[in-house]
């Protein structure tokens, strides 16, 4: 058998390229490298939604893809490279909207600044506008943070805004106080606390 007759050893050989940097030797996909290799700005909003949908589907199929394994700095950088139209399309998708909220609130709990909040006790209620209004509660309690869908206490502040504005505020693309001034965020309760809320979290890359 000549070299040209030799069958390909792997699927990557068969399509004429070597594994990308997101392919770990093990079964799990390196989502950080994958996210850094993708430029969302080159995708249409619909293509961006399909990309995230595929990643979520593979994760639920336990195919070695798990959004929870992506570092928070990569996660925020990936979102930062999108446009508002991408985020509007993503959060208009009922299932993916919940995937995004789950990841964001889990990471907020992980990145609370324990020093700055060591003496703080505050309950925040979130209301996200859209075809269906989603509600979440965040409880900051002396250096710890938990979030969930069911209210457990009266809030110090209730913040109502569009999901896209929320995500852009987290990534630093927009300033939360500016959203207050332009009427894109409605606040009921302690306005000064709401204006500085994101500063209580040590979000990488901001």
């Amino acid at each position: 058998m000549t070299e040209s007759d030799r069958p390909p050893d792997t699927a990557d050989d068969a399509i004429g390229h070597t594994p990308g940097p997101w392919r770990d030797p093990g079964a799990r996909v390196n989502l950080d490298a994958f996210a850094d290799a993708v430029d969302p700005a080159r995708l249409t909003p619909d293509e961006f939604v399909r990309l995230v949908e595929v990643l979520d589907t593979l994760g639920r199929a336990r195919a070695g893809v798990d959004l929870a394994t992506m570092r928070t700095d990569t996660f925020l950088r990936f979102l930062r490279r999108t446009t508002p139209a991408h985020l509007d399309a993503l959060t208009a998708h009922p299932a993916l909207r919940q995937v995004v909220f789950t990841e964001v609130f889990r990471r907020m709990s992980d990145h609370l600044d324990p020093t700055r909040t060591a003496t703080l006790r505050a309950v925040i209620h979130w209301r996200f506008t859209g075809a269906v209004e989603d509600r979440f509660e965040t409880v900051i309690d002396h250096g710890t943070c938990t979030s969930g869908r069911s209210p457990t206490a009266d809030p110090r502040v209730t913040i109502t805004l569009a999901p896209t504005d929320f995500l852009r505020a987290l990534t630093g693309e927009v300033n939360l106080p500016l959203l207050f001034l332009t009427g894109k965020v409605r606040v009921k309760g302690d306005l000064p606390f709401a204006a500085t809320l994101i500063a209580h979290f040590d979000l990488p890359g901001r």
Side-chain angles (χ1 to χ4, degrees), residues 62-107:
R62 299 183 179 180
V65 176
D66 186 353
L67 288 174
T69 65
M70 186 185 293
R71 297 194 313 267
T72 299
D73 60 324
T74 305
F75 180 72
L76 293 178
R77 185 167 59 249
F78 184 66
L79 292 179
R80 192 179 300 120
R81 292 160 64 198
T82 64
T83 67
H86 287 100
L87 297 179
D88 284 343
L90 180 64
T91 56
H93 188 294
L96 296 183
R97 178 181 170 111
Q98 303 312 315
V99 170
V100 171
F101 283 146
T102 297
E103 278 302 306
V104 166
F105 281 104
R106 181 184 67 78
R107 292 169 190 272

Side-chain angles (χ1 to χ4, degrees), residues 79-163:
L79 292 179
R80 192 179 300 120
R81 292 160 64 198
T82 64
T83 67
H86 287 100
L87 297 179
D88 284 343
L90 180 64
T91 56
H93 188 294
L96 296 183
R97 178 181 170 111
Q98 303 312 315
V99 170
V100 171
F101 283 146
T102 297
E103 278 302 306
V104 166
F105 281 104
R106 181 184 67 78
R107 292 169 190 272
M108 285 177 66
S109 296
D110 291 342
H111 290 279
L112 182 74
D113 186 334
T115 301
R116 181 162 187 168
T117 59
T119 61
L120 177 64
R121 163 74 185 181
V123 177
I124 304 99
H125 285 181
W126 305 89
R127 293 182 178 179
F128 297 106
T129 58
V132 176
E133 184 178 83
D134 287 287
R135 300 188 180 194
F136 287 83
E137 178 184 79
T138 297
V139 179
I140 299 174
D141 189 3
H142 299 90
T144 65
C145 176
T146 57
S147 293
R149 289 184 173 275
S150 300
T152 62
D154 292 334
R156 177 170 176 174
V157 65
T158 298
I159 302 174
T160 303
L161 73 169

